[in-house]
């Protein structure tokens, strides 16, 4: 997964979600849950790279950061609960999808895997 389009398309496969552009900057496109309005997927370009922010269980935070150079502390978010994934192709697609799915689970409080 290397594009915003791919990340957003996967994010939109979850139940009761919608796209949001909450800032006056089209660079930031989020996927939120309809019921609680919480975002679980943030997409943006930074320093010439497409990136996503995903919520992470603190027990797994360092695992992902240690496993992949492209996973770093969450940009502009709580570093304990959010990771940034640089979509440069070095993190396998299934792993990126797993991180997005876990982010969804964390903000909804239940398992609601993609359809």
């Amino acid at each position: 997964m290397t594009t915003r389009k791919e990340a957003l398309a996967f994010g939109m496969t979850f139940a009761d979600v919608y796209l949001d552009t909450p800032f006056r900057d089209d660079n930031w496109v989020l996927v939120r849950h309809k019921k609680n309005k919480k975002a679980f997927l943030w997409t943006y370009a930074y320093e010439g790279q497409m990136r996503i922010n995903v919520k992470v269980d603190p027990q797994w935070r360092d695992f992902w950061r240690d496993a992949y150079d492209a996973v770093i502390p969450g940009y502009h978010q709580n570093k304990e609960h959010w990771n940034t994934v640089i979509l440069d192709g070095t993190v396998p697609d299934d792993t990126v999808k797993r991180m997005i799915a876990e982010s969804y689970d964390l903000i909804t409080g239940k398992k609601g895997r993609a359809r």
Side-chain angles (χ1 to χ4, degrees):
M1 186 175 301
T2 58
T3 68
R4 179 193 315 258
K5 183 177 179 179
E6 291 171 304
L8 291 174
F10 181 71
M12 291 302 294
T13 65
F14 292 87
D16 300 318
V17 299
Y18 66 99
L19 291 177
D20 190 18
T21 52
F23 312 113
R24 295 174 195 250
D25 178 355
D26 292 337
N27 183 40
W28 291 86
V29 181
L30 287 58
V31 181
R32 293 184 186 268
H33 189 258
K34 288 179 182 176
K35 293 179 183 173
N36 63 21
K37 310 277 191 257
K38 291 181 180 179
F40 66 97
L41 174 62
W42 300 60
T43 67
Y44 58 98
Y46 181 73
E47 294 183 345
Q49 301 168 313
M50 185 50 57
R51 298 177 177 208
I52 63 172
N53 285 2
V54 289
K55 191 158 187 156
V56 63
D57 185 321
Q59 294 177 1
W60 285 93
R61 174 194 64 229
D62 294 329
F63 170 82
W64 293 121
R65 293 178 191 174
D66 292 341
Y68 300 100
D69 290 338
V71 179
I72 58 177
Y75 177 69
H76 272 298
Q77 293 188 277
N78 182 310
K79 312 298 187 237
E80 183 177 343
H81 296 281
W82 290 86
N83 277 341
T84 292
V85 181
I86 302 167
L87 298 181
D88 62 3
T90 61
V91 181
D93 286 4
D94 61 330
T95 301
V96 175
K97 288 177 178 180
R98 177 180 173 181
M99 287 189 266
I100 294 169
E102 288 174 359
S103 183
Y104 177 87
D105 290 347
L106 286 167
I107 64 101
T108 60
K110 60 183 175 184
K111 300 271 182 194
R113 298 287 182 212
R115 292 181 221 158

